[in-house]
C-alpha cells in the first residue's frame, strides 16, 4: 500500500487556480523531491497535505484513509527551523513526540549525538548555528510518530558546503529510520542527490509536467555529483524546468 496518495488535487484562491489536478504517490520509505518554478504552488501543496487548508477537489489519503482537512497526520519541517526559543534543544526535539504522548528523552539524546549535537542538549536555539538548528529540527521530525515527513526547502539558507554536509547527514538519518519523505527544493542537484524520484511541476496553475526515476544506487557519495550520468539527469531536469517557465 502506498503511504501517501494524492489524486486530482485542485486548489483555487478566488478565481486563481494554484494547483490543477495534481496526482502523485509517496511509497513507504521513499524519498521524493518536487521541483518547479517559483510561485508554482509547492508550499500550497504541503499546506493541503498537512490539513492546514483543503482542496477545491481531489483526495488525499494516508495508508488508504482520507486525511483532507485533518492535522497531525504528517510531520512538516518548513524553511525556517521553527524551534521554540524558550525551550532547550532537547525540549524542542521531543516536542512532537511529547504532544503524541510518546516522549523518549534517551532516544532523543542518542539522535542528537548522531546529529553532531552532543553537549548542546540544554542549549537554546539562539546559541546554535543555522546548520545545527536545521539538524535539531530534522531530529524532531524523525522523533515524531507520523509516517511521512514533508520538508520545504530546509537547506536553502545554508552555504554550499554546509548544505552538502546536511544532505549527506539527512540521507544517513533517512536510511537508518526509513521514513517517507516529500522534499521541496529549487536546487536540481540537491533533488537528484537525495531522491528516488524527482517530480517537475509546471508554472501556475501547477500540474505535474514530468517525473524522473533516479537510478543511482545508495548509499550516495559526494563524487556522484560530478559523474557523467548525474550531469545528464541534471541537464534533462533543467530543460524541463526551463520549458515549465515558458
Amino acid at each position: 500500500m502506498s503511504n501517501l496518495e494524492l489524486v486530482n488535487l485542485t486548489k483555487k484562491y478566488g478565481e486563481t487556480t494554484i494547483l490543477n489536478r495534481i496526482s502523485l504517490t509517496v511509497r513507504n520509505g521513499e524519498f521524493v523531491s518536487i521541483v518547479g518554478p517559483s510561485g508554482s504552488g509547492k508550499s500550497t501543496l504541503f499546506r493541503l497535505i498537512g490539513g492546514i487548508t483543503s482542496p477545491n477537489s481531489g483526495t488525499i489519503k494516508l495508508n488508504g484513509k482520507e486525511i483532507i482537512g485533518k492535522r497531525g497526520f504528517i510531520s512538516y519541517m518548513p524553511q525556517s527551523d521553527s524551534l521554540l526559543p524558550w525551550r532547550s534543544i532537547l525540549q524542542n526535539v521531543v516536542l512532537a513526540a511529547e504532544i503524541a504522548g510518546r516522549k523518549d528523552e534517551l532516544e532523543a539524546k542518542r539522535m542528537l549525538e548522531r546529529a553532531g549535537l552532543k553537549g548542546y542538549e540544554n542549549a537554546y536555539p539562539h546559541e546554535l548555528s543555522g546548520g545545527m538548528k536545521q539538524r535539531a529540527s530534522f531530529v524532531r521530525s524523525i522523533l515524531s510518530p507520523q509516517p511521512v515527513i514533508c520538508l520545504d526547502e530546509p537547506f536553502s539558507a545554508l552555504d554550499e558546503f554546509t548544505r552538502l554536509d546536511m544532505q549527506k547527514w539527512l540521507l544517513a538519518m533517512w536510511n537508518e529510520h526509513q521514513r517517507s519523505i516529500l522534499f521541496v527544493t529549487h536546487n536540481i542537484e540537491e533533488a537528484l542527490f537525495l531522491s528516488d524520484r524527482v517530480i517537475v511541476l509546471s508554472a501556475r496553475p501547477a500540474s505535474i509536467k514530468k517525473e524522473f526515476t533516479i537510478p543511482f544506487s545508495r548509499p550516495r557519495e559526494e563524487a556522484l555529483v560530478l559523474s557523467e550520468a548525474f550531469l545528464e539527469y541534471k541537464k534533462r531536469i533543467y530543460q524541463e524546468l526551463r520549458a515549465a517557465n515558458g
Side-chain angles (χ1 to χ4, degrees), residues 206-239:
S207 59
I208 292 179
K209 191 171 188 301
K210 188 80 172 181
E211 179 178 310
F212 293 87
T213 298
I214 309 305
F216 309 125
S217 61
R218 298 187 186 275
R220 293 182 182 167
E221 303 297 334
E222 187 175 337
L224 173 65
V225 302
L226 298 177
S227 69
E228 188 174 330
F230 188 95
L231 295 173
E232 178 60 30
Y233 268 90
K234 184 177 178 180
K235 177 182 175 183
R236 289 169 59 189
I237 295 173
Y238 173 79
Q239 289 171 338

PDB file of all heavy atoms in Angstrom, residues 206-239:
ATOM      1  N   ALA A 206      -0.252  24.913 -11.361  1.00  0.00           N
ATOM      2  CA  ALA A 206       0.726  23.828 -11.385  1.00  0.00           C
ATOM      3  C   ALA A 206       0.077  22.480 -11.661  1.00  0.00           C
ATOM      4  O   ALA A 206      -0.947  22.125 -11.072  1.00  0.00           O
ATOM      5  CB  ALA A 206       1.471  23.778 -10.048  1.00  0.00           C
ATOM      6  N   SER A 207       0.704  21.763 -12.564  1.00  0.00           N
ATOM      7  CA  SER A 207       0.370  20.355 -12.800  1.00  0.00           C
ATOM      8  C   SER A 207       1.696  19.611 -12.901  1.00  0.00           C
ATOM      9  O   SER A 207       2.758  20.233 -12.987  1.00  0.00           O
ATOM     10  CB  SER A 207      -0.446  20.191 -14.085  1.00  0.00           C
ATOM     11  OG  SER A 207       0.285  20.688 -15.199  1.00  0.00           O
ATOM     12  N   ILE A 208       1.653  18.293 -12.857  1.00  0.00           N
ATOM     13  CA  ILE A 208       2.888  17.517 -12.954  1.00  0.00           C
ATOM     14  C   ILE A 208       3.303  17.445 -14.421  1.00  0.00           C
ATOM     15  O   ILE A 208       2.583  16.910 -15.258  1.00  0.00           O
ATOM     16  CB  ILE A 208       2.717  16.119 -12.338  1.00  0.00           C
ATOM     17  CG1 ILE A 208       2.533  16.262 -10.833  1.00  0.00           C
ATOM     18  CG2 ILE A 208       3.944  15.248 -12.645  1.00  0.00           C
ATOM     19  CD1 ILE A 208       2.323  14.956 -10.103  1.00  0.00           C
ATOM     20  N   LYS A 209       4.459  18.024 -14.701  1.00  0.00           N
ATOM     21  CA  LYS A 209       4.948  18.100 -16.077  1.00  0.00           C
ATOM     22  C   LYS A 209       5.759  16.868 -16.443  1.00  0.00           C
ATOM     23  O   LYS A 209       5.675  16.351 -17.561  1.00  0.00           O
ATOM     24  CB  LYS A 209       5.806  19.350 -16.241  1.00  0.00           C
ATOM     25  CG  LYS A 209       6.161  19.680 -17.677  1.00  0.00           C
ATOM     26  CD  LYS A 209       6.828  21.036 -17.758  1.00  0.00           C
ATOM     27  CE  LYS A 209       6.996  21.451 -19.218  1.00  0.00           C
ATOM     28  NZ  LYS A 209       7.787  20.512 -19.997  1.00  0.00           N
ATOM     29  N   LYS A 210       6.559  16.379 -15.495  1.00  0.00           N
ATOM     30  CA  LYS A 210       7.442  15.245 -15.777  1.00  0.00           C
ATOM     31  C   LYS A 210       7.843  14.584 -14.471  1.00  0.00           C
ATOM     32  O   LYS A 210       7.958  15.249 -13.436  1.00  0.00           O
ATOM     33  CB  LYS A 210       8.701  15.742 -16.504  1.00  0.00           C
ATOM     34  CG  LYS A 210       9.623  14.648 -17.030  1.00  0.00           C
ATOM     35  CD  LYS A 210       9.129  14.072 -18.345  1.00  0.00           C
ATOM     36  CE  LYS A 210      10.159  13.121 -18.959  1.00  0.00           C
ATOM     37  NZ  LYS A 210       9.704  12.567 -20.239  1.00  0.00           N
ATOM     38  N   GLU A 211       8.056  13.281 -14.525  1.00  0.00           N
ATOM     39  CA  GLU A 211       8.550  12.546 -13.355  1.00  0.00           C
ATOM     40  C   GLU A 211       9.786  11.754 -13.766  1.00  0.00           C
ATOM     41  O   GLU A 211       9.787  11.082 -14.788  1.00  0.00           O
ATOM     42  CB  GLU A 211       7.473  11.594 -12.828  1.00  0.00           C
ATOM     43  CG  GLU A 211       7.905  10.786 -11.631  1.00  0.00           C
ATOM     44  CD  GLU A 211       6.794   9.881 -11.108  1.00  0.00           C
ATOM     45  OE1 GLU A 211       5.664  10.371 -10.901  1.00  0.00           O
ATOM     46  OE2 GLU A 211       7.061   8.684 -10.909  1.00  0.00           O
ATOM     47  N   PHE A 212      10.841  11.876 -12.977  1.00  0.00           N
ATOM     48  CA  PHE A 212      12.088  11.163 -13.238  1.00  0.00           C
ATOM     49  C   PHE A 212      12.331  10.144 -12.132  1.00  0.00           C
ATOM     50  O   PHE A 212      12.315  10.496 -10.945  1.00  0.00           O
ATOM     51  CB  PHE A 212      13.276  12.135 -13.269  1.00  0.00           C
ATOM     52  CG  PHE A 212      13.259  13.105 -14.419  1.00  0.00           C
ATOM     53  CD1 PHE A 212      12.584  14.316 -14.313  1.00  0.00           C
ATOM     54  CD2 PHE A 212      13.918  12.820 -15.608  1.00  0.00           C
ATOM     55  CE1 PHE A 212      12.566  15.229 -15.358  1.00  0.00           C
ATOM     56  CE2 PHE A 212      13.917  13.716 -16.664  1.00  0.00           C
ATOM     57  CZ  PHE A 212      13.233  14.920 -16.541  1.00  0.00           C
ATOM     58  N   THR A 213      12.556   8.897 -12.511  1.00  0.00           N
ATOM     59  CA  THR A 213      13.003   7.881 -11.565  1.00  0.00           C
ATOM     60  C   THR A 213      14.524   7.897 -11.564  1.00  0.00           C
ATOM     61  O   THR A 213      15.164   7.750 -12.612  1.00  0.00           O
ATOM     62  CB  THR A 213      12.493   6.484 -11.960  1.00  0.00           C
ATOM     63  OG1 THR A 213      11.052   6.502 -11.923  1.00  0.00           O
ATOM     64  CG2 THR A 213      12.989   5.423 -10.986  1.00  0.00           C
ATOM     65  N   ILE A 214      15.120   8.099 -10.387  1.00  0.00           N
ATOM     66  CA  ILE A 214      16.570   8.290 -10.278  1.00  0.00           C
ATOM     67  C   ILE A 214      17.243   6.933 -10.044  1.00  0.00           C
ATOM     68  O   ILE A 214      16.946   6.254  -9.061  1.00  0.00           O
ATOM     69  CB  ILE A 214      16.911   9.268  -9.138  1.00  0.00           C
ATOM     70  CG1 ILE A 214      16.082  10.561  -9.286  1.00  0.00           C
ATOM     71  CG2 ILE A 214      18.395   9.561  -9.127  1.00  0.00           C
ATOM     72  CD1 ILE A 214      16.214  11.248 -10.624  1.00  0.00           C
ATOM     73  N   PRO A 215      18.167   6.528 -10.931  1.00  0.00           N
ATOM     74  CA  PRO A 215      18.697   5.167 -10.884  1.00  0.00           C
ATOM     75  C   PRO A 215      19.925   4.964 -10.006  1.00  0.00           C
ATOM     76  O   PRO A 215      20.409   3.834  -9.869  1.00  0.00           O
ATOM     77  CB  PRO A 215      19.066   4.917 -12.357  1.00  0.00           C
ATOM     78  CG  PRO A 215      19.521   6.266 -12.835  1.00  0.00           C
ATOM     79  CD  PRO A 215      18.638   7.265 -12.124  1.00  0.00           C
ATOM     80  N   PHE A 216      20.448   6.014  -9.397  1.00  0.00           N
ATOM     81  CA  PHE A 216      21.721   5.894  -8.689  1.00  0.00           C
ATOM     82  C   PHE A 216      21.566   5.060  -7.412  1.00  0.00           C
ATOM     83  O   PHE A 216      20.624   5.247  -6.650  1.00  0.00           O
ATOM     84  CB  PHE A 216      22.283   7.275  -8.355  1.00  0.00           C
ATOM     85  CG  PHE A 216      22.338   8.193  -9.541  1.00  0.00           C
ATOM     86  CD1 PHE A 216      21.721   9.437  -9.505  1.00  0.00           C
ATOM     87  CD2 PHE A 216      22.995   7.799 -10.704  1.00  0.00           C
ATOM     88  CE1 PHE A 216      21.756  10.275 -10.604  1.00  0.00           C
ATOM     89  CE2 PHE A 216      23.034   8.643 -11.800  1.00  0.00           C
ATOM     90  CZ  PHE A 216      22.411   9.876 -11.760  1.00  0.00           C
ATOM     91  N   SER A 217      22.520   4.162  -7.214  1.00  0.00           N
ATOM     92  CA  SER A 217      22.458   3.266  -6.057  1.00  0.00           C
ATOM     93  C   SER A 217      22.745   4.029  -4.771  1.00  0.00           C
ATOM     94  O   SER A 217      23.277   5.140  -4.787  1.00  0.00           O
ATOM     95  CB  SER A 217      23.454   2.113  -6.218  1.00  0.00           C
ATOM     96  OG  SER A 217      24.778   2.623  -6.306  1.00  0.00           O
ATOM     97  N   ARG A 218      22.363   3.449  -3.661  1.00  0.00           N
ATOM     98  CA  ARG A 218      22.631   4.003  -2.341  1.00  0.00           C
ATOM     99  C   ARG A 218      23.558   3.064  -1.592  1.00  0.00           C
ATOM    100  O   ARG A 218      23.539   1.866  -1.846  1.00  0.00           O
ATOM    101  CB  ARG A 218      21.310   4.179  -1.578  1.00  0.00           C
ATOM    102  CG  ARG A 218      20.343   5.166  -2.255  1.00  0.00           C
ATOM    103  CD  ARG A 218      19.139   5.415  -1.355  1.00  0.00           C
ATOM    104  NE  ARG A 218      18.128   6.226  -1.987  1.00  0.00           N
ATOM    105  CZ  ARG A 218      18.114   7.561  -2.005  1.00  0.00           C
ATOM    106  NH1 ARG A 218      19.105   8.209  -1.433  1.00  0.00           N
ATOM    107  NH2 ARG A 218      17.144   8.232  -2.591  1.00  0.00           N
ATOM    108  N   PRO A 219      24.349   3.593  -0.664  1.00  0.00           N
ATOM    109  CA  PRO A 219      24.458   4.990  -0.251  1.00  0.00           C
ATOM    110  C   PRO A 219      25.128   5.836  -1.323  1.00  0.00           C
ATOM    111  O   PRO A 219      25.924   5.338  -2.112  1.00  0.00           O
ATOM    112  CB  PRO A 219      25.309   4.911   1.019  1.00  0.00           C
ATOM    113  CG  PRO A 219      26.130   3.679   0.845  1.00  0.00           C
ATOM    114  CD  PRO A 219      25.250   2.707   0.116  1.00  0.00           C
ATOM    115  N   ARG A 220      24.825   7.120  -1.352  1.00  0.00           N
ATOM    116  CA  ARG A 220      25.348   8.028  -2.356  1.00  0.00           C
ATOM    117  C   ARG A 220      26.521   8.820  -1.815  1.00  0.00           C
ATOM    118  O   ARG A 220      26.461   9.352  -0.711  1.00  0.00           O
ATOM    119  CB  ARG A 220      24.228   8.953  -2.853  1.00  0.00           C
ATOM    120  CG  ARG A 220      23.184   8.152  -3.614  1.00  0.00           C
ATOM    121  CD  ARG A 220      22.062   8.959  -4.177  1.00  0.00           C
ATOM    122  NE  ARG A 220      21.116   8.069  -4.841  1.00  0.00           N
ATOM    123  CZ  ARG A 220      19.903   8.423  -5.221  1.00  0.00           C
ATOM    124  NH1 ARG A 220      19.479   9.669  -5.017  1.00  0.00           N
ATOM    125  NH2 ARG A 220      19.101   7.550  -5.806  1.00  0.00           N
ATOM    126  N   GLU A 221      27.563   8.875  -2.618  1.00  0.00           N
ATOM    127  CA  GLU A 221      28.785   9.564  -2.222  1.00  0.00           C
ATOM    128  C   GLU A 221      28.871  10.919  -2.915  1.00  0.00           C
ATOM    129  O   GLU A 221      28.279  11.138  -3.984  1.00  0.00           O
ATOM    130  CB  GLU A 221      30.009   8.710  -2.581  1.00  0.00           C
ATOM    131  CG  GLU A 221      30.014   7.315  -1.971  1.00  0.00           C
ATOM    132  CD  GLU A 221      30.067   7.332  -0.451  1.00  0.00           C
ATOM    133  OE1 GLU A 221      30.586   8.327   0.106  1.00  0.00           O
ATOM    134  OE2 GLU A 221      29.578   6.375   0.178  1.00  0.00           O
ATOM    135  N   GLU A 222      29.658  11.796  -2.352  1.00  0.00           N
ATOM    136  CA  GLU A 222      29.793  13.160  -2.855  1.00  0.00           C
ATOM    137  C   GLU A 222      30.268  13.189  -4.310  1.00  0.00           C
ATOM    138  O   GLU A 222      29.848  14.043  -5.096  1.00  0.00           O
ATOM    139  CB  GLU A 222      30.773  13.920  -1.962  1.00  0.00           C
ATOM    140  CG  GLU A 222      30.897  15.387  -2.249  1.00  0.00           C
ATOM    141  CD  GLU A 222      31.790  16.094  -1.240  1.00  0.00           C
ATOM    142  OE1 GLU A 222      31.951  15.583  -0.107  1.00  0.00           O
ATOM    143  OE2 GLU A 222      32.338  17.144  -1.584  1.00  0.00           O
ATOM    144  N   ALA A 223      31.115  12.221  -4.686  1.00  0.00           N
ATOM    145  CA  ALA A 223      31.659  12.192  -6.048  1.00  0.00           C
ATOM    146  C   ALA A 223      30.573  11.989  -7.104  1.00  0.00           C
ATOM    147  O   ALA A 223      30.785  12.305  -8.291  1.00  0.00           O
ATOM    148  CB  ALA A 223      32.707  11.088  -6.164  1.00  0.00           C
ATOM    149  N   LEU A 224      29.420  11.485  -6.702  1.00  0.00           N
ATOM    150  CA  LEU A 224      28.328  11.236  -7.654  1.00  0.00           C
ATOM    151  C   LEU A 224      27.957  12.494  -8.428  1.00  0.00           C
ATOM    152  O   LEU A 224      27.659  12.433  -9.628  1.00  0.00           O
ATOM    153  CB  LEU A 224      27.101  10.704  -6.899  1.00  0.00           C
ATOM    154  CG  LEU A 224      25.804  10.554  -7.712  1.00  0.00           C
ATOM    155  CD1 LEU A 224      25.970   9.483  -8.795  1.00  0.00           C
ATOM    156  CD2 LEU A 224      24.636  10.213  -6.798  1.00  0.00           C
ATOM    157  N   VAL A 225      28.006  13.660  -7.776  1.00  0.00           N
ATOM    158  CA  VAL A 225      27.519  14.885  -8.405  1.00  0.00           C
ATOM    159  C   VAL A 225      28.386  15.330  -9.573  1.00  0.00           C
ATOM    160  O   VAL A 225      27.971  16.196 -10.361  1.00  0.00           O
ATOM    161  CB  VAL A 225      27.386  16.031  -7.372  1.00  0.00           C
ATOM    162  CG1 VAL A 225      26.445  15.635  -6.246  1.00  0.00           C
ATOM    163  CG2 VAL A 225      28.732  16.456  -6.819  1.00  0.00           C
ATOM    164  N   LEU A 226      29.581  14.746  -9.719  1.00  0.00           N
ATOM    165  CA  LEU A 226      30.464  15.096 -10.830  1.00  0.00           C
ATOM    166  C   LEU A 226      30.473  14.033 -11.932  1.00  0.00           C
ATOM    167  O   LEU A 226      31.179  14.178 -12.928  1.00  0.00           O
ATOM    168  CB  LEU A 226      31.892  15.306 -10.317  1.00  0.00           C
ATOM    169  CG  LEU A 226      32.069  16.453  -9.315  1.00  0.00           C
ATOM    170  CD1 LEU A 226      33.514  16.498  -8.821  1.00  0.00           C
ATOM    171  CD2 LEU A 226      31.658  17.786  -9.921  1.00  0.00           C
ATOM    172  N   SER A 227      29.663  12.967 -11.742  1.00  0.00           N
ATOM    173  CA  SER A 227      29.652  11.886 -12.728  1.00  0.00           C
ATOM    174  C   SER A 227      28.875  12.300 -13.974  1.00  0.00           C
ATOM    175  O   SER A 227      27.996  13.168 -13.934  1.00  0.00           O
ATOM    176  CB  SER A 227      29.023  10.628 -12.137  1.00  0.00           C
ATOM    177  OG  SER A 227      27.634  10.817 -11.925  1.00  0.00           O
ATOM    178  N   GLU A 228      29.196  11.655 -15.098  1.00  0.00           N
ATOM    179  CA  GLU A 228      28.546  11.973 -16.362  1.00  0.00           C
ATOM    180  C   GLU A 228      27.049  11.686 -16.309  1.00  0.00           C
ATOM    181  O   GLU A 228      26.231  12.469 -16.802  1.00  0.00           O
ATOM    182  CB  GLU A 228      29.208  11.158 -17.485  1.00  0.00           C
ATOM    183  CG  GLU A 228      28.736  11.544 -18.871  1.00  0.00           C
ATOM    184  CD  GLU A 228      29.510  10.823 -19.958  1.00  0.00           C
ATOM    185  OE1 GLU A 228      30.696  10.498 -19.736  1.00  0.00           O
ATOM    186  OE2 GLU A 228      28.936  10.581 -21.033  1.00  0.00           O
ATOM    187  N   ALA A 229      26.678  10.561 -15.683  1.00  0.00           N
ATOM    188  CA  ALA A 229      25.260  10.183 -15.603  1.00  0.00           C
ATOM    189  C   ALA A 229      24.477  11.212 -14.781  1.00  0.00           C
ATOM    190  O   ALA A 229      23.352  11.596 -15.139  1.00  0.00           O
ATOM    191  CB  ALA A 229      25.116   8.799 -14.986  1.00  0.00           C
ATOM    192  N   PHE A 230      25.064  11.661 -13.666  1.00  0.00           N
ATOM    193  CA  PHE A 230      24.406  12.654 -12.815  1.00  0.00           C
ATOM    194  C   PHE A 230      24.191  13.954 -13.583  1.00  0.00           C
ATOM    195  O   PHE A 230      23.096  14.539 -13.551  1.00  0.00           O
ATOM    196  CB  PHE A 230      25.264  12.904 -11.570  1.00  0.00           C
ATOM    197  CG  PHE A 230      24.614  13.765 -10.524  1.00  0.00           C
ATOM    198  CD1 PHE A 230      23.930  13.190  -9.462  1.00  0.00           C
ATOM    199  CD2 PHE A 230      24.693  15.154 -10.587  1.00  0.00           C
ATOM    200  CE1 PHE A 230      23.339  13.984  -8.485  1.00  0.00           C
ATOM    201  CE2 PHE A 230      24.105  15.948  -9.616  1.00  0.00           C
ATOM    202  CZ  PHE A 230      23.422  15.362  -8.565  1.00  0.00           C
ATOM    203  N   LEU A 231      25.224  14.401 -14.285  1.00  0.00           N
ATOM    204  CA  LEU A 231      25.137  15.655 -15.026  1.00  0.00           C
ATOM    205  C   LEU A 231      24.127  15.559 -16.170  1.00  0.00           C
ATOM    206  O   LEU A 231      23.466  16.550 -16.507  1.00  0.00           O
ATOM    207  CB  LEU A 231      26.517  16.050 -15.554  1.00  0.00           C
ATOM    208  CG  LEU A 231      27.543  16.376 -14.468  1.00  0.00           C
ATOM    209  CD1 LEU A 231      28.917  16.599 -15.078  1.00  0.00           C
ATOM    210  CD2 LEU A 231      27.110  17.609 -13.666  1.00  0.00           C
ATOM    211  N   GLU A 232      23.986  14.373 -16.754  1.00  0.00           N
ATOM    212  CA  GLU A 232      22.997  14.181 -17.814  1.00  0.00           C
ATOM    213  C   GLU A 232      21.574  14.321 -17.261  1.00  0.00           C
ATOM    214  O   GLU A 232      20.720  14.973 -17.868  1.00  0.00           O
ATOM    215  CB  GLU A 232      23.178  12.814 -18.466  1.00  0.00           C
ATOM    216  CG  GLU A 232      22.162  12.481 -19.547  1.00  0.00           C
ATOM    217  CD  GLU A 232      22.158  13.463 -20.711  1.00  0.00           C
ATOM    218  OE1 GLU A 232      23.221  14.044 -21.014  1.00  0.00           O
ATOM    219  OE2 GLU A 232      21.084  13.654 -21.320  1.00  0.00           O
ATOM    220  N   TYR A 233      21.310  13.720 -16.076  1.00  0.00           N
ATOM    221  CA  TYR A 233      19.998  13.870 -15.440  1.00  0.00           C
ATOM    222  C   TYR A 233      19.748  15.331 -15.057  1.00  0.00           C
ATOM    223  O   TYR A 233      18.625  15.844 -15.195  1.00  0.00           O
ATOM    224  CB  TYR A 233      19.873  12.976 -14.208  1.00  0.00           C
ATOM    225  CG  TYR A 233      19.273  11.626 -14.517  1.00  0.00           C
ATOM    226  CD1 TYR A 233      20.071  10.547 -14.868  1.00  0.00           C
ATOM    227  CD2 TYR A 233      17.897  11.428 -14.473  1.00  0.00           C
ATOM    228  CE1 TYR A 233      19.525   9.308 -15.161  1.00  0.00           C
ATOM    229  CE2 TYR A 233      17.334  10.204 -14.772  1.00  0.00           C
ATOM    230  CZ  TYR A 233      18.141   9.138 -15.110  1.00  0.00           C
ATOM    231  OH  TYR A 233      17.594   7.918 -15.407  1.00  0.00           O
ATOM    232  N   LYS A 234      20.786  15.983 -14.563  1.00  0.00           N
ATOM    233  CA  LYS A 234      20.655  17.394 -14.193  1.00  0.00           C
ATOM    234  C   LYS A 234      20.254  18.232 -15.412  1.00  0.00           C
ATOM    235  O   LYS A 234      19.386  19.111 -15.320  1.00  0.00           O
ATOM    236  CB  LYS A 234      21.978  17.891 -13.595  1.00  0.00           C
ATOM    237  CG  LYS A 234      21.930  19.320 -13.087  1.00  0.00           C
ATOM    238  CD  LYS A 234      23.257  19.708 -12.438  1.00  0.00           C
ATOM    239  CE  LYS A 234      23.242  21.165 -11.973  1.00  0.00           C
ATOM    240  NZ  LYS A 234      24.521  21.564 -11.343  1.00  0.00           N
ATOM    241  N   LYS A 235      20.866  17.942 -16.537  1.00  0.00           N
ATOM    242  CA  LYS A 235      20.554  18.650 -17.776  1.00  0.00           C
ATOM    243  C   LYS A 235      19.105  18.414 -18.194  1.00  0.00           C
ATOM    244  O   LYS A 235      18.384  19.356 -18.573  1.00  0.00           O
ATOM    245  CB  LYS A 235      21.505  18.183 -18.878  1.00  0.00           C
ATOM    246  CG  LYS A 235      21.241  18.780 -20.246  1.00  0.00           C
ATOM    247  CD  LYS A 235      22.212  18.208 -21.268  1.00  0.00           C
ATOM    248  CE  LYS A 235      21.896  18.696 -22.674  1.00  0.00           C
ATOM    249  NZ  LYS A 235      22.807  18.088 -23.677  1.00  0.00           N
ATOM    250  N   ARG A 236      18.646  17.157 -18.098  1.00  0.00           N
ATOM    251  CA  ARG A 236      17.276  16.822 -18.512  1.00  0.00           C
ATOM    252  C   ARG A 236      16.248  17.528 -17.629  1.00  0.00           C
ATOM    253  O   ARG A 236      15.246  18.060 -18.116  1.00  0.00           O
ATOM    254  CB  ARG A 236      17.072  15.308 -18.484  1.00  0.00           C
ATOM    255  CG  ARG A 236      17.822  14.567 -19.597  1.00  0.00           C
ATOM    256  CD  ARG A 236      17.809  13.059 -19.369  1.00  0.00           C
ATOM    257  NE  ARG A 236      16.457  12.524 -19.311  1.00  0.00           N
ATOM    258  CZ  ARG A 236      16.184  11.263 -18.944  1.00  0.00           C
ATOM    259  NH1 ARG A 236      17.165  10.451 -18.598  1.00  0.00           N
ATOM    260  NH2 ARG A 236      14.930  10.855 -18.931  1.00  0.00           N
ATOM    261  N   ILE A 237      16.496  17.534 -16.317  1.00  0.00           N
ATOM    262  CA  ILE A 237      15.559  18.193 -15.400  1.00  0.00           C
ATOM    263  C   ILE A 237      15.580  19.709 -15.621  1.00  0.00           C
ATOM    264  O   ILE A 237      14.529  20.363 -15.618  1.00  0.00           O
ATOM    265  CB  ILE A 237      15.880  17.830 -13.935  1.00  0.00           C
ATOM    266  CG1 ILE A 237      15.640  16.328 -13.705  1.00  0.00           C
ATOM    267  CG2 ILE A 237      15.029  18.657 -12.970  1.00  0.00           C
ATOM    268  CD1 ILE A 237      16.074  15.822 -12.342  1.00  0.00           C
ATOM    269  N   TYR A 238      16.765  20.246 -15.840  1.00  0.00           N
ATOM    270  CA  TYR A 238      16.889  21.688 -16.119  1.00  0.00           C
ATOM    271  C   TYR A 238      16.085  22.066 -17.362  1.00  0.00           C
ATOM    272  O   TYR A 238      15.381  23.089 -17.378  1.00  0.00           O
ATOM    273  CB  TYR A 238      18.363  22.049 -16.306  1.00  0.00           C
ATOM    274  CG  TYR A 238      18.588  23.468 -16.756  1.00  0.00           C
ATOM    275  CD1 TYR A 238      18.534  24.522 -15.839  1.00  0.00           C
ATOM    276  CD2 TYR A 238      18.853  23.768 -18.092  1.00  0.00           C
ATOM    277  CE1 TYR A 238      18.723  25.829 -16.249  1.00  0.00           C
ATOM    278  CE2 TYR A 238      19.045  25.070 -18.506  1.00  0.00           C
ATOM    279  CZ  TYR A 238      18.983  26.103 -17.579  1.00  0.00           C
ATOM    280  OH  TYR A 238      19.176  27.392 -17.995  1.00  0.00           O
ATOM    281  N   GLN A 239      16.169  21.248 -18.399  1.00  0.00           N
ATOM    282  CA  GLN A 239      15.425  21.535 -19.628  1.00  0.00           C
ATOM    283  C   GLN A 239      13.929  21.502 -19.390  1.00  0.00           C
ATOM    284  O   GLN A 239      13.177  22.326 -19.943  1.00  0.00           O
ATOM    285  CB  GLN A 239      15.828  20.539 -20.722  1.00  0.00           C
ATOM    286  CG  GLN A 239      17.243  20.757 -21.250  1.00  0.00           C
ATOM    287  CD  GLN A 239      17.723  19.636 -22.168  1.00  0.00           C
ATOM    288  OE1 GLN A 239      17.212  18.497 -22.117  1.00  0.00           O
ATOM    289  NE2 GLN A 239      18.706  19.939 -23.002  1.00  0.00           N
TER     290      GLN A 239
END
